[in-house]
Amino acid sequence: MTAVPSELSRLFQSFWIAGFESACHINGRGERLDMVAATQHDVAVFEDYARLHEMGISTAREGIRWPLIERTNRFDFSSLEPFLDAARRQRVQVIWNLCHYGWPEDVDVFAPHFVDRFARFCGAVARFIADHDDAAPFYVPINEISFLSWAAGQAGLFYPYGKGLGGVIKEQLVRAAIAGIEAIWAISPQARIVHVDPVIHVIPPRDQPGLAESAGIQRESQFEAWDMLSGRIRPDLGGDPRYLDVLGVNFYHANQWEYPDTRIPWEDAPRDARWMPLHRLLVEVHERYRRPLFIAETSHFGAGRPAWIRQVAAEVREARGLGIPVEGVCIYPILDRPDWEDPEQWHNSGLWDLVREPDGALRRVLNAEYAAELRRCQVLVAEPFGVPRRRRRRETAPPPS
């Protein structure tokens, strides 16, 4: 399958991208997750990809489940093969996550061998995919290094439940990502490398200006992994500018807060004046790194889904109008998903809701309001620049009730 980028994107077949939740870590209850199986995407991938075309989507983010593939020092790609086959038959371009928080149980993230094991895994995956697809692949070596370091190494929310070791894990993940990139390029020199992390904005409370420095340090930490990968800081880790290829930025409603942890509501009307518009965050990332970027994850939940995607689309259009090379927007998750800690709690966050049938199958039900707003957003972002703002508002307004 040869990728033909859309008119709006120089990188991807479609500007709008489907993100399939693929986390496979061990959660706070000590249970190994497999979100691909939990949403039954593993058995419905062909049909799931077919549905994407209904919404003008032909690019997807997927996870390659390392704990399933590497067992007892051998590689078994039977869990990956159906995805490659479905992508080929449905003509879907895939951005592959190689490590979405989880690794085999005999791998110790703190041990030196973690780097070698991950590099070996990356090389094996690159070889398998190269043997099945002639397109230039896109790989995310380690998804959300910053968040993973915090959740697994600083806050102890999931395995290995580290407390105060976020910096140690981050350095180790950077080493592993670099080794993995080299292993990929040894097989597929044309492969594009994507690094995904959240963008955040942190401010001091209004009544505690003395916390401004702490808020600034926390905010600046969002760039640390990318700075390490590019060799800006900690050159002993092996970073180099060539490792920083494409940047994926994740943005949700909780990505802005008062230090240390009080969320700034985006939904308030009028909105808090300290909320930083997404287009300004995108400008900041691009001015710092000068790399192509895309929104690698964004969504909301429940009735707020249409309003959220409307805001994101408007901000992306604003950024593109300023010359920022935003190459796509990934709706993540594209299918609704259960909670990591409570499998009975579903987030109602997908473009497709999942309804359990009596036989246990999860039926995909398109959320009509979300889909209608997405279609308007697709028109908005594709609209030529310079169109009068009054006309844009009318064209993108919700339909009358």
Side-chain angles (χ1 to χ4, degrees), residues 227-244:
D227 284 353
M228 289 176 176
L229 288 161
S230 63
R232 285 182 169 218
I233 61 174
R234 292 298 308 274
D236 57 300
L237 299 176
D240 188 273
R242 66 196 180 98
Y243 296 129
L244 214 60

Side-chain angles (χ1 to χ4, degrees), residues 141-154:
I142 298 176
N143 187 57
E144 291 191 320
I145 288 177
S146 294
F147 175 76
L148 176 55
S149 301
W150 173 80
Q154 192 69 27

Side-chain angles (χ1 to χ4, degrees), residues 61 144 194-199 222 226 246-252 255 278 281-282 285-286 293-298 326 328 330:
R61 285 192 66 196
E144 291 191 320
V194 182
H195 295 292
V196 173
D197 250 325
V199 287
Q222 70 183 299
W226 290 339
V246 180
L247 298 182
V249 300
N250 296 350
F251 188 69
Y252 294 100
N255 282 39
L278 174 59
L281 296 175
L282 296 174
V285 171
H286 182 253
L293 56 87
F294 71 111
I295 308 298
E297 291 185 20
T298 196
V326 183
C330 179

Side-chain angles (χ1 to χ4, degrees), residues 123-371:
V125 170
R127 169 52 61 200
F128 187 79
I129 289 179
D131 289 342
H132 289 76
D133 190 349
D134 61 359
F138 283 76
Y139 292 111
V140 180
I142 298 176
N143 187 57
E144 291 191 320
I145 288 177
S146 294
F147 175 76
L148 176 55
S149 301
W150 173 80
Q154 192 69 27
L157 299 183
F158 49 76
Y159 185 81
Y161 314 114
K163 294 291 184 70
L165 297 173
V168 175
I169 288 188
K170 183 177 289 185
E171 293 168 8
Q172 184 77 322
L173 295 177
V174 167
R175 292 187 192 96
I178 290 170
I181 293 168
E182 289 292 351
I184 290 167
W185 281 343
I187 303 298
S188 299
Q190 80 281 21
R192 301 302 301 267
I193 304 300
V194 182
H195 295 292
V196 173
D197 250 325
V199 287
I200 63 173
H201 182 54
V202 187
I203 56 176
R206 285 191 172 96
D207 59 351
Q208 299 184 67
L211 293 177
E213 182 178 358
S214 296
I217 291 171
Q218 191 177 66
R219 188 184 191 281
E220 187 69 11
S221 69
Q222 70 183 299
F223 304 118
E224 195 171 51
W226 290 339
D227 284 353
M228 289 176 176
L229 288 161
S230 63
R232 285 182 169 218
I233 61 174
R234 292 298 308 274
D236 57 300
L237 299 176
D240 188 273
R242 66 196 180 98
Y243 296 129
L244 214 60
D245 183 6
V246 180
L247 298 182
V249 300
N250 296 350
F251 188 69
Y252 294 100
H253 79 291
N255 282 39
Q256 303 197 32
W257 62 87
E258 286 185 348
Y259 181 86
D261 56 9
T262 301
R263 183 175 73 89
I264 304 172
W266 76 277
E267 64 273 19
D268 286 356
R271 183 176 294 161
D272 191 319
R274 299 171 301 164
W275 173 274
M276 181 170 286
L278 174 59
H279 78 269
R280 289 176 55 189
L281 296 175
L282 296 174
V283 168
E284 182 179 7
V285 171
H286 182 253
E287 288 184 345
R288 187 179 183 110
Y289 298 107
R290 297 292 174 178
R291 295 292 191 270
L293 56 87
F294 71 111
I295 308 298
E297 291 185 20
T298 196
S299 70
H300 203 54
F301 50 85
R305 284 174 280 186
W308 178 262
I309 202 65
R310 182 188 317 135
Q311 172 187 262
V312 169
E315 291 292 321
V316 165
R317 190 179 194 282
E318 187 78 17
R320 286 169 60 87
L322 295 171
I324 306 304
V326 183
E327 299 288 345
V329 176
C330 179
I331 299 172
Y332 197 103
I334 198 74
L335 303 175
D336 193 21
R337 46 152 286 190
D339 188 76
W340 288 343
E341 299 297 326
D342 181 1
E344 300 304 315
Q345 178 188 346
W346 290 74
H347 286 196
N348 298 316
S349 57
L351 184 60
W352 280 273
D353 293 315
L354 302 185
V355 177
R356 192 172 296 279
E357 301 285 25
D359 64 358
L362 293 173
R363 177 165 53 92
R364 279 68 167 133
V365 179
L366 186 68
N367 185 281
E369 293 80 9
Y370 196 8

